[in-house]
Coordinates of all heavy atoms in Angstrom, one line a residue:
Chain A
R1089 N -161.6 -151.2 68.8 CA -160.3 -151.5 69.5 C -159.4 -152.3 68.5 O -158.2 -152.1 68.6 CB -160.5 -152.2 70.8 CG -161.1 -151.4 71.8 CD -161.5 -152.2 73.1 NE -160.3 -152.9 73.6 CZ -159.5 -152.3 74.5 NH1 -159.7 -151.1 74.8 NH2 -158.5 -153.0 74.9
G1113 N -150.8 -147.1 67.2 CA -150.0 -146.1 66.6 C -150.5 -144.8 66.6 O -151.7 -144.6 66.7
F1120 N -161.4 -142.4 75.1 CA -162.1 -143.5 75.9 C -163.3 -142.8 76.6 O -163.4 -141.5 76.8 CB -161.2 -144.1 76.8 CG -159.9 -144.7 76.1 CD1 -159.0 -144.0 75.7 CD2 -160.0 -146.1 75.9 CE1 -157.8 -144.6 75.1 CE2 -159.0 -146.7 75.3 CZ -157.9 -146.0 74.9
Y1123 N -161.4 -142.0 82.5 CA -160.2 -142.5 83.3 C -159.1 -142.6 82.3 O -158.1 -143.2 82.6 CB -160.4 -144.0 83.9 CG -161.6 -144.0 84.9 CD1 -162.5 -145.1 84.8 CD2 -161.7 -143.0 85.9 CE1 -163.5 -145.1 85.6 CE2 -162.8 -143.2 86.8 CZ -163.6 -144.2 86.6 OH -164.7 -144.3 87.4
L1125 N -157.3 -139.6 81.3 CA -156.6 -138.5 81.4 C -155.5 -138.7 82.5 O -155.8 -139.6 83.3 CB -157.3 -137.2 81.8 CG -158.2 -136.7 80.7 CD1 -159.0 -135.5 81.3 CD2 -157.5 -136.2 79.6
Y1126 N -154.4 -138.1 82.4 CA -153.3 -138.3 83.5 C -153.6 -137.2 84.6 O -153.3 -136.2 84.4 CB -151.9 -138.2 82.8 CG -151.8 -139.1 81.7 CD1 -151.2 -138.8 80.4 CD2 -152.2 -140.4 81.9 CE1 -151.1 -139.6 79.4 CE2 -152.2 -141.4 80.8 CZ -151.6 -141.1 79.6 OH -151.5 -141.9 78.6
P1127 N -154.0 -137.7 85.8 CA -154.4 -136.8 86.8 C -153.2 -136.0 87.3 O -153.4 -135.1 88.1 CB -154.9 -137.8 87.9 CG -154.4 -139.2 87.6 CD -154.2 -139.2 86.1
W1128 N -152.0 -136.5 87.2 CA -150.9 -135.8 87.7 C -150.4 -134.7 86.8 O -149.4 -133.9 87.1 CB -149.6 -136.8 88.1 CG -149.1 -137.5 86.8 CD1 -148.0 -137.0 86.0 CD2 -149.6 -138.7 86.1 NE1 -147.8 -137.9 85.0 CE2 -148.8 -138.9 85.1 CE3 -150.6 -139.6 86.5 CZ2 -149.0 -139.9 84.3 CZ3 -150.8 -140.6 85.7 CH2 -149.9 -140.9 84.5
K1142 N -140.8 -140.1 72.2 CA -139.6 -140.1 71.3 C -140.0 -139.9 69.9 O -139.5 -139.1 69.2 CB -138.8 -141.3 71.5 CG -137.5 -141.3 70.9 CD -136.5 -142.3 71.5 CE -135.6 -142.7 70.5 NZ -136.0 -143.9 69.7
H1143 N -141.0 -140.7 69.4 CA -141.5 -140.7 68.0 C -141.9 -139.3 67.6 O -141.6 -138.8 66.5 CB -142.4 -141.6 67.6 CG -143.8 -141.1 67.9 ND1 -144.6 -140.5 66.9 CD2 -144.6 -141.0 69.0 CE1 -145.7 -140.1 67.4 NE2 -145.7 -140.4 68.6
N1178 N -158.9 -133.7 87.8 CA -160.0 -133.9 88.7 C -160.7 -132.7 89.3 O -161.5 -132.7 90.1 CB -159.6 -134.9 89.8 CG -158.5 -134.4 90.5 OD1 -158.0 -133.3 90.3 ND2 -158.1 -135.1 91.5
Q1179 N -160.2 -131.5 88.8 CA -160.8 -130.3 89.1 C -161.9 -129.9 88.1 O -162.6 -128.8 88.1 CB -159.9 -129.1 89.2 CG -158.9 -129.2 90.4 CD -157.8 -128.1 90.4 OE1 -157.0 -128.1 89.4 NE2 -157.9 -127.3 91.4
Chain B
Q906 N -155.6 -145.3 80.7 CA -154.5 -144.4 80.7 C -153.3 -144.9 79.8 O -152.6 -144.3 79.2 CB -154.0 -144.2 82.2 CG -155.0 -143.4 82.9 CD -154.5 -142.9 84.3 OE1 -153.4 -143.3 84.8 NE2 -155.4 -142.4 85.1
E908 N -153.6 -147.3 77.5 CA -154.0 -147.4 76.1 C -153.9 -146.1 75.3 O -153.7 -146.0 74.2 CB -155.3 -148.1 76.0 CG -155.3 -149.6 76.4 CD -156.7 -150.4 76.1 OE1 -157.8 -149.7 76.3 OE2 -156.6 -151.5 76.1
A909 N -154.4 -145.1 76.1 CA -154.3 -143.7 75.6 C -152.8 -143.3 75.1 O -152.6 -142.7 74.0 CB -154.8 -142.7 76.6
A910 N -151.9 -143.7 75.9 CA -150.5 -143.5 75.6 C -150.1 -144.2 74.4 O -149.5 -143.9 73.5 CB -149.6 -143.8 76.8
T912 N -152.0 -145.3 72.0 CA -152.5 -144.7 70.8 C -151.9 -143.3 70.4 O -152.3 -142.8 69.4 CB -154.1 -144.6 70.8 OG1 -154.5 -143.7 71.7 CG2 -154.7 -145.9 70.9
M913 N -151.2 -142.8 71.3 CA -150.5 -141.6 70.9 C -149.0 -141.9 70.5 O -148.2 -141.0 70.2 CB -150.4 -140.6 72.2 CG -151.7 -139.8 72.4 SD -151.6 -138.7 73.7 CE -151.9 -139.6 75.2
G914 N -148.7 -143.1 70.4 CA -147.4 -143.5 69.9 C -146.4 -143.8 70.9 O -145.2 -143.9 70.6
E919 N -141.5 -146.2 77.3 CA -142.3 -144.9 77.5 C -143.6 -145.1 78.3 O -143.8 -144.3 79.2 CB -142.5 -144.1 76.3 CG -141.3 -143.5 75.7 CD -141.5 -142.8 74.3 OE1 -142.4 -143.3 73.5 OE2 -140.8 -142.0 73.9
Q927 N -145.7 -143.3 86.8 CA -146.2 -142.0 87.3 C -147.6 -142.1 87.9 O -148.0 -141.6 88.9 CB -146.4 -141.0 86.1 CG -145.1 -140.7 85.3 CD -143.9 -140.2 86.2 OE1 -144.2 -139.4 87.1 NE2 -142.7 -140.7 86.1
A928 N -148.5 -143.0 87.2 CA -149.8 -143.2 87.7 C -149.8 -143.9 89.1 O -150.7 -143.7 89.9 CB -150.7 -144.0 86.7
W1004 N -152.5 -133.0 93.6 CA -153.9 -133.1 92.9 C -154.6 -134.2 93.6 O -155.9 -134.3 93.4 CB -153.6 -133.5 91.4 CG -153.2 -134.8 91.3 CD1 -154.0 -136.0 91.1 CD2 -151.9 -135.4 91.2 NE1 -153.3 -137.1 91.0 CE2 -152.0 -136.8 91.0 CE3 -150.6 -134.7 91.3 CZ2 -150.8 -137.7 91.1 CZ3 -149.5 -135.6 91.2 CH2 -149.6 -137.0 91.1
L1007 N -156.9 -132.3 96.8 CA -157.8 -131.1 96.6 C -159.0 -131.2 97.4 O -159.7 -132.2 97.6 CB -158.2 -131.0 95.0 CG -157.0 -130.9 94.2 CD1 -157.5 -131.1 92.8 CD2 -156.3 -129.6 94.3

Side-chain angles (χ1 to χ4, degrees):
Chain A
R1089 291 171 58 79
F1120 302 82
Y1123 304 129
L1125 291 179
Y1126 302 131
W1128 62 93
K1142 188 157 154 273
H1143 85 93
N1178 60 3
Q1179 292 175 295
Chain B
Q906 290 183 6
E908 291 181 337
T912 64
M913 284 187 274
E919 286 170 332
Q927 303 303 325
W1004 76 88
L1007 299 169

